[in-house]
Amino acid sequence: LAKTTQPISMDSYEGQEVNITCSHNNIATNDYITWYQQFPSQGPRFIIQGYKTKVTNEVASLFIPADRKSSTLSLPRVSLSDTAVYYCLGSPAGYSSASKIIFGSGTRLSIRP
Amino acid sequence: NAGVMQNPRHLVRRRGQEARLRCSPMKGHSHVYWYRQLPEEGLKFMVYLQKENIIDESGMPKERFSAEFPKEGPSILRIQQVVRGDSAAYFCASSAGAGDQEKLFFGSGTQLSVL
């Protein structure tokens, strides 16, 4: 199972770039790295997913080095509304692999004015 | 295009009662997942279902908990004879298929409180 390790919490200020790093030393060859965002009293929301190198969408960028033992979620110019818990997880491919998707405790990101 | 719908949003039960949590997946999605979340903790996988089939229930407690996803209608997570320890947020997610790069779409959850 792809166990991930990420900081418990992070603080930043509005307008800053925030980088959250996740370690996944035992990630499987065919696992993708996926990040979700969760606000209080809501279900997680998909942010971004990648396999290696760099992926960018309208919300964030994801950097994955060649060895794939870690990944970094980059949030450009954060605002107060980015205050949430961010989960990094390995998404195994294939049928009936749902139980292998492990949500850890996530990183609680707090943005200050 | 409605997202994953869960109801009720909040459910209060007394010890020993039954709780029924409903989940309607996104339109076109035939895969449903149930997760449980305790305060300040991550989500714990419970069960994965497709229409009329339980694919993986390795995260379900052996007793009192059951889940179904009938041919017609929503997926139901049923908890019999609830105890205080069942109090948690229960999230349902759906996906289009169990292929590569699976993305889960979550509902807003049902907060179960057992008195």
Side-chain angles (χ1 to χ4, degrees):
Chain A
L1 302 180
K3 187 177 186 306
T4 60
T5 303
Q6 48 185 128
I8 294 174
S9 63
M10 292 181 68
D11 296 323
S12 189
Y13 293 89
E14 280 191 296
Q16 299 293 306
E17 178 185 79
V18 171
N19 297 310
I20 306 175
T21 297
C22 176
S23 297
H24 27 80
N25 291 316
N26 64 338
I27 191 166
T29 302
N30 59 348
D31 280 4
Y32 279 71
I33 308 302
T34 309
W35 286 78
Y36 286 84
Q37 175 192 55
Q38 186 179 27
F39 297 114
S41 302
Q42 293 188 27
R45 182 176 73 104
F46 172 88
I47 301 177
I48 197 167
Q49 184 180 70
Y51 185 78
K52 61 181 177 182
T53 64
K54 178 182 176 182
V55 178
T56 297
N57 61 22
E58 64 277 6
V59 177
S61 294
L62 178 60
F63 301 89
I64 304 172
D67 65 7
R68 301 200 336 117
K69 292 184 182 300
S70 66
S71 60
T72 299
L73 174 73
S74 181
L75 304 173
R77 297 182 298 281
V78 294
S79 64
L80 295 176
S81 63
D82 291 316
T83 295
V85 178
Y86 292 81
Y87 296 97
C88 158
L89 47 101
S91 303
Y95 188 72
S96 69
S97 57
S99 63
K100 310 302 188 294
I101 300 175
I102 300 174
F103 282 83
S105 298
T107 296
R108 190 171 298 275
L109 176 64
S110 298
I111 306 300
R112 306 173 191 274
Chain B
N1 183 18
V4 177
M5 303 300 292
Q6 289 189 249
N7 67 83
R9 192 82 169 84
H10 300 276
L11 182 61
V12 179
R13 286 287 179 265
R14 295 188 181 280
R15 282 179 295 172
Q17 291 185 317
E18 178 180 284
R20 279 180 178 251
L21 288 62
R22 296 175 188 78
C23 170
S24 295
M26 282 183 69
K27 186 176 182 181
H29 285 188
S30 59
H31 298 250
V32 166
Y33 313 78
W34 285 93
Y35 289 83
R36 177 164 60 178
Q37 186 175 37
L38 296 172
E40 308 299 319
E41 294 187 11
L43 283 77
K44 297 289 191 289
F45 168 80
M46 298 181 74
V47 62
Y48 162 37
L49 312 100
Q50 292 181 34
K51 285 285 188 181
E52 301 184 273
N53 288 301
I54 296 175
I55 306 302
D56 184 346
E57 56 181 346
S58 58
M60 288 278 272
K62 294 290 185 277
E63 299 177 347
R64 303 187 297 109
F65 285 72
S66 62
E68 63 176 7
F69 189 15
K71 186 176 181 181
E72 301 291 338
S75 175
I76 305 288
L77 178 67
R78 182 183 178 204
I79 311 173
Q80 296 177 288
Q81 299 172 349
V82 296
V83 300
R84 290 228 172 102
D86 296 331
S87 295
Y90 291 83
F91 291 99
C92 167
S94 72
S95 69
D100 291 354
Q101 310 159 43
E102 204 53 35
K103 298 172 188 174
L104 302 179
F105 295 83
F106 284 84
S108 295
T110 293
Q111 180 65 52
L112 173 64
S113 299
V114 179
L115 304 179

